[in-house]
Amino acid sequence: MITAAARTIILYFLIMAGLRLMGKRQIGELEPGELVLTMMISDLATVPMQDFGIPLLAGVIPILILLSLSMLLSQMSLYSLRFRALICGTPSVLIRGGVLQQEAMRRNRFTLDELLEELREQGYARIGDVKYAVLENSGQLSILPWARTQPPSAGQLGLEAEDDVTLPVVLINDGRVLDKNLSACGRDRAWLRKTLEAKGFRSPKEVFLLTLDERGTVLCVGKELDA
């Protein structure tokens, strides 16, 4: 039992480290090479966890080789556009100027039903409303509509719109003070203590969430009391 637990923990953290090296992506956004790598690593990790007769290194070494190969291919793709196109592919335009590109659809085995479904999911009922539709390497469909079908912006309407978008920074997360974020905002514990007292809290442990945006606006949410 201890051997099984140790093997599982080692392989788990090894795979997690490998996925972190691949970057922050969702499964649906993986490029072909990354998807293949993920599937192969999962298969290689399963065998040593189930069969104790197989040495742990029999699973660890192939995983490390695959991760090293993936990093090597990523570096090569940075220096060669042709190599990147060979490994990752290139985007395909399925709608150009409002016209279906049937050859591109056949080449990517993208059916008309799939295209219409993607358009409806993004709020377009007719092909004529779309100027460009690009099938990305990840399999996602990027849609660029005609100007006449886009919602008008404040600038197009001649309105003066104030740019009030700010990025709040979390200073307290479930009772824990994030000192790094606090310093990045130019604040200290003394400021935090005064702010909590003004909000009616005696300790950060009583706060579920506290954020500070670029305008100095504080959002403070207290913890719910247990019933």
Side-chain angles (χ1 to χ4, degrees):
M1 183 63 69
I2 296 178
T3 302
R7 283 172 170 245
T8 302
I9 292 172
I10 292 173
L11 291 171
Y12 172 80
F13 282 107
L14 178 61
I15 294 173
M16 286 296 297
L19 294 179
R20 286 294 302 273
L21 291 175
M22 293 171 58
K24 298 180 179 180
R25 295 186 183 227
Q26 298 178 359
I27 295 299
E29 297 175 348
L30 294 178
E31 293 182 346
E34 296 169 335
L35 180 58
V36 171
L37 176 65
T38 303
M39 296 174 62
M40 291 182 67
I41 287 179
S42 63
D43 288 339
L44 288 171
T46 302
V47 176
M49 282 192 292
Q50 293 179 341
D51 190 348
F52 297 161
I54 298 177
L56 183 59
L57 289 177
V60 172
I61 292 177
I63 291 176
L64 292 176
I65 292 175
L66 286 175
L67 292 176
S68 301
L69 179 61
S70 176
M71 295 178 63
L72 176 62
L73 294 178
S74 297
Q75 285 296 120
M76 293 176 63
S77 66
L78 291 176
Y79 298 107
S80 173
L81 295 178
R82 291 184 178 179
F83 183 79
R84 177 173 176 78
L86 177 64
I87 297 298
C88 303
T90 55
S92 298
V93 180
L94 303 186
I95 298 178
R96 186 188 300 273
V99 179
L100 288 173
Q101 304 299 299
Q102 299 182 34
E103 175 60 28
M105 293 180 63
R106 284 193 292 268
R107 187 169 60 252
N108 289 277
R109 294 179 293 280
F110 205 88
T111 67
L112 187 58
D113 291 335
E114 291 173 332
L115 178 61
L116 294 175
E117 179 182 351
E118 290 280 354
L119 294 181
R120 289 193 297 269
E121 288 180 352
Q122 300 196 37
Y124 298 96
R126 295 175 298 181
I127 294 176
D129 294 337
V130 177
K131 185 176 183 180
Y132 294 105
V134 182
L135 183 62
E136 307 291 355
N137 294 338
S138 62
Q140 302 293 323
L141 189 69
S142 300
I143 295 178
L144 304 175
W146 294 97
R148 64 175 182 270
T149 61
Q150 294 181 0
S153 64
Q156 292 172 331
L157 295 176
L159 302 177
E160 291 293 336
E162 183 179 359
D163 188 5
D164 57 353
V165 178
T166 59
L167 181 63
V169 178
V170 178
L171 302 183
I172 297 180
N173 184 340
D174 197 7
R176 295 181 293 271
V177 178
L178 305 181
D179 290 299
K180 183 178 180 180
N181 291 354
L182 194 64
S183 299
C185 294
R187 303 296 197 275
D188 53 19
R189 288 270 184 163
W191 173 89
L192 183 61
R193 184 171 55 255
K194 292 179 180 179
T195 302
L196 292 179
E197 291 175 354
K199 298 291 184 180
F201 297 100
R202 294 172 297 178
S203 168
K205 296 184 181 298
E206 300 176 358
V207 178
F208 184 70
L209 173 67
L210 188 142
T211 64
L212 177 68
D213 65 14
E214 298 169 359
R215 292 185 172 185
T217 303
V218 175
L219 170 67
C220 187
V221 179
K223 288 186 178 182
E224 295 181 353
L225 299 177
D226 295 333

